Amino acid sequence: MQKTIDPKTLMQSSKQLNVGQKIEQDDIIEVLENLNYRPSRQVDEEGAYAVRGSILDFFSPQNEQPIRVEFSDEEIISMRSFSIVNQRSSEAI
């Protein structure tokens, strides 16, 4: 069996992200930390996140690949999946 959180906590802690949305990068990091994501230098496993300047990477267990979110100030300008093998972005989300 795989550990999960209860549905009520998940819904209260979830946050939908969209390109063009205005949101602080720190607000997303706070949500990730509340869901027990671990900070990392490089995202290479589920439950990890990494910050490099205006880029936030995280790997949700519900996705096959991690997500890369790019910011310009407080606006999401790009969201893409990426490979954990070579860290290169692939398709836009």
Side-chain angles (χ1 to χ4, degrees):
M1 294 184 95
Q2 187 176 18
K3 288 174 93 174
T4 63
I5 61 175
D6 68 273
K8 182 179 178 183
T9 302
L10 177 62
M11 291 307 292
Q12 290 173 341
S13 302
S14 295
K15 188 165 285 284
Q16 183 171 340
L17 303 175
N18 297 298
V19 173
Q21 179 179 354
K22 297 214 184 276
I23 186 169
E24 294 274 346
Q25 189 181 57
D26 288 342
D27 291 345
I28 300 171
I29 293 168
E30 182 179 343
V31 169
L32 293 172
E33 289 179 345
N34 287 338
L35 291 169
N36 294 318
Y37 280 70
R38 298 167 312 282
S40 179
R41 283 184 17 89
Q42 177 175 302
V43 172
D44 55 10
E45 64 181 353
E46 292 177 353
Y49 77 90
V51 179
R52 292 181 329 280
S54 64
I55 295 174
L56 170 65
D57 293 343
F58 64 94
F59 199 163
S60 169
Q62 75 181 29
N63 295 48
E64 291 183 23
Q65 292 187 306
I67 307 298
R68 177 164 290 147
V69 182
E70 186 175 356
F71 291 84
S72 176
D73 296 321
E74 298 175 7
E75 182 178 350
I76 295 174
I77 59 170
S78 171
M79 290 178 47
R80 304 182 73 76
S81 57
F82 68 94
S83 167
I84 61 172
V85 175
N86 62 22
Q87 297 291 304
R88 291 182 185 233
S89 295
S90 50
E91 63 185 81
I93 298 173

